[in-house]
């Protein structure tokens, strides 16, 4: 499996994450298994409906602070998982 990291320029903070900004990740081919979101200096909660929408599309979402999200992304890549990352700078 291939991985396809991507960034949405419309997202400046965790408050900007929306159904629309996450839709980019549902369009990737091959379809990703896991989306790792880095929400800056600390872990921020996303609306449960957004997480549910991604699960319904077959994408697991892992939310972490950005430093840990980078490490998780790299680990998943080393396991040859189909993963993408959305990272907000700390």
């Amino acid at each position: 499996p291939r991985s396809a990291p991507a960034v949405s320029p419309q997202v400046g903070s965790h408050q900007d994450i929306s159904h629309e900004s996450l839709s980019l990740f549902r369009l990737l081919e091959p379809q990703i298994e896991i989306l790792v979101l880095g929400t800056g200096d600390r872990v921020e909660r996303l609306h449960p409906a957004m997480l549910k929408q991604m699960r319904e599309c077959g994408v697991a979402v892992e939310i972490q602070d950005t430093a840990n999200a980078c490490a998780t992304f790299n680990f998943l890549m080393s396991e040859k998982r189909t993963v993408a990352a959305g990272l907000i700078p700390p």
Side-chain angles (χ1 to χ4, degrees):
R2 244 183 68 223
S3 296
V7 176
S8 177
Q10 300 91 336
V11 175
S13 80
H14 75 280
Q15 296 171 335
D16 299 326
I17 298 172
S18 65
H19 290 286
E20 291 76 28
S21 63
L22 291 177
S23 68
L24 167 73
F25 297 103
R26 294 191 311 272
L27 300 174
L28 296 175
E29 288 292 333
Q31 181 178 344
I32 61 171
E33 299 173 62
I34 304 167
L35 172 59
V36 181
L37 291 178
T39 56
D41 286 326
R42 59 186 196 169
V43 178
E44 302 288 353
R45 296 174 62 82
L46 295 186
H47 194 282
M50 284 190 272
L51 300 176
K52 181 181 178 199
Q53 178 188 40
M54 295 300 285
R55 276 193 313 273
E56 289 172 350
C57 293
V59 178
V61 180
E62 184 70 35
I63 303 169
Q64 301 177 338
D65 62 85
T66 298
N68 284 313
C70 290
T72 298
F73 175 82
N74 288 333
F75 176 77
L76 291 169
M77 286 285 297
S78 74
E79 290 191 328
K80 308 283 191 242
R81 304 291 294 273
T82 307
V83 59
L87 305 170
I88 297 171

